[in-house]
Structures are given as structure tokens and as C-alpha cells.
Amino acid sequence: ERWLHPQDLDSTAHLVRTNLLQHQGAAAHFEPMTRAGRSIEEVIAGANAFAKVQACVAVLGMGEDGHIASLFPGMGDLERVLASRNDYVAVDATGCPGARQWPRRISLTPRGMARIPARLLLIQGARKREVFMQALADGNPARWPVLTALDSIHGTPLQVHWCA
């Protein structure tokens, strides 16, 4: 989740509202993580408190650098995030090309992902498929954070869906 106001055109909330909450999906309730007037620390505390009510599904994407959620290869505090016992953390992805102009973010942690029984990874395009296959062959989650989504507390495998 980019640390942006939910009405910002580059926010995840805007992406969800304009692309997912349409037609039959419009009946779904969506609660954006970011809130006007709240600090990132307050939002993280609220997200971790709310995470006690377990999500039933996570729809994840992967970047061409192998990032997932807001876990980027080469991120300065990636080791801390990978080891976190919280479901959500604030991250600083400064210097990570995949983060582009939005380095301040909120991310689901590997622990948070593992607790969700149904996890879907959506991969689009030949290049991302190639990156995912490289990540699987290499096996290093510090280099390929997408690999952190493979683990599950429930024993339910990650479902990977690819389209051209």
C-alpha cells in the first residue's frame, strides 16, 4: 500500500475502487488502509489490531523485480520485515526502482501472508512469468520477495495464475 491519501489517483484504494469494485463487485465492502489525518504508525497499529480477525483471501501481484506486497529486493530494512511477527509494517523502499516515486509504504509481512488461507498470485505477461520462474529456481526470498508468499500456516498452497 503506497502511503498516499485514498483519493489520490496513484493510491491502491483508487485502483481497487476503479477496477475491482465494479458491477457485482460494487456490493463488496472495501476499507482503505490509509486515512486522512492519521500517521503511518497509527494506521499500522490499527491494521495489526484488525488482523486478529483473519482475512479469508489475499489477491497479490508481483512486480518485474520480484517484489510482492511492498517487499522489494534490496530494501534497506527487508531483513527486519521478513522476520517481523506483525502482520503489517511500515517500510521505506527508498532506492528500490520498483517502488518508483512512492518509497513510503505499508506492507503485509510474510507472517501476515502466511496466515491467510487462500492466497492468489496474479502474474501478467511473459516477463513476469520469467521472473517468477527465476525466483523459484534461485530460492532466495531476500533476492526474490515473491517467494515469501509460498509459505502458509494453513498448509494451503499459494495459487499462481498467469495470463499473457
Side-chain angles (χ1 to χ4, degrees), residues 40-65:
I40 197 166
E41 293 79 13
E42 290 171 313
V43 170
I44 293 294
N48 282 315
F50 190 72
K52 291 177 180 26
V53 178
Q54 185 180 38
C56 56
V57 65
V59 179
L60 304 162
M62 182 195 77
E64 287 189 1
D65 58 356

Side-chain angles (χ1 to χ4, degrees), residues 84-105:
S84 178
R85 301 307 304 154
N86 290 320
D87 288 7
Y88 294 92
V89 293
V91 299
D92 181 355
T94 300
C96 299
R100 300 190 312 232
Q101 67 266 35
W102 307 288
R104 192 73 169 140
R105 294 170 176 247

